[in-house]
Amino acid sequence: MSDILKYIEDNPKETQRLIGLEYEQLQQLIQNAERLHHEKQVLLESKKVRIIAGGGGRKPKLSMTEQIILTLVYLRHMTTFQLLGIQFGVSESTANDPFNYWLPNLRELLPSSLLEQVKKTLLTMK
């Protein structure tokens, strides 16, 4: 478990400051994101033609919850993936990959106004 996830679970009132959502909103978002992920995985699996049974391969270094929180931390603070990797105890590319996976999924779940705030922040930084 990452230090940030442990901190959020130990201090739920600080969630707003860390990722821009209340703790209850975060829990609901995580549930919805995991449900969406599973639906997409089932759809992908139904289209695959497998020669080798599924379930093999390397297990992810971050749990789904940690990946979602990593994405939200990035959106909130616009830090580098190198720093995110350090915060979550993974490499820079391991921090980048979940972000690129979860961003489109969170776009489906989050109100567009929240994403617009992120875009405005990016434009003012340039």
Side-chain angles (χ1 to χ4, degrees), residues 38-89:
H38 289 300
E39 289 171 3
K40 287 186 176 191
Q41 289 300 107
V42 168
L43 183 63
L44 281 173
E45 283 296 320
S46 69
K47 293 180 180 181
K48 283 185 181 178
V49 176
R50 288 195 169 269
I51 297 172
I52 300 173
R58 175 179 253 167
K59 302 298 180 211
K61 292 183 179 180
L62 297 173
S63 69
M64 261 194 271
T65 302
E66 290 172 318
Q67 292 176 26
I68 294 166
I69 290 175
L70 180 144
T71 303
L72 293 172
V73 167
Y74 177 85
L75 290 173
R76 175 75 171 179
H77 299 285
M78 297 301 182
T79 186
T80 64
F81 287 106
Q82 181 181 21
L83 283 174
L84 276 177
I86 292 168
Q87 289 173 329
F88 283 84

Side-chain angles (χ1 to χ4, degrees), residues 105-120:
N105 291 330
L106 293 178
R107 277 195 177 129
E108 293 180 33
L109 298 172
L110 290 173
S112 60
S113 60
L114 184 60
L115 291 173
E116 289 301 318
Q117 290 174 12
V118 171
K119 286 180 185 175
K120 286 179 185 175

Side-chain angles (χ1 to χ4, degrees), residues 1-9 66 86-89:
M1 178 184 300
S2 74
D3 291 339
I4 293 178
L5 179 56
K6 182 171 177 7
Y7 183 82
I8 287 172
E9 289 176 355
E66 290 172 318
I86 292 168
Q87 289 173 329
F88 283 84

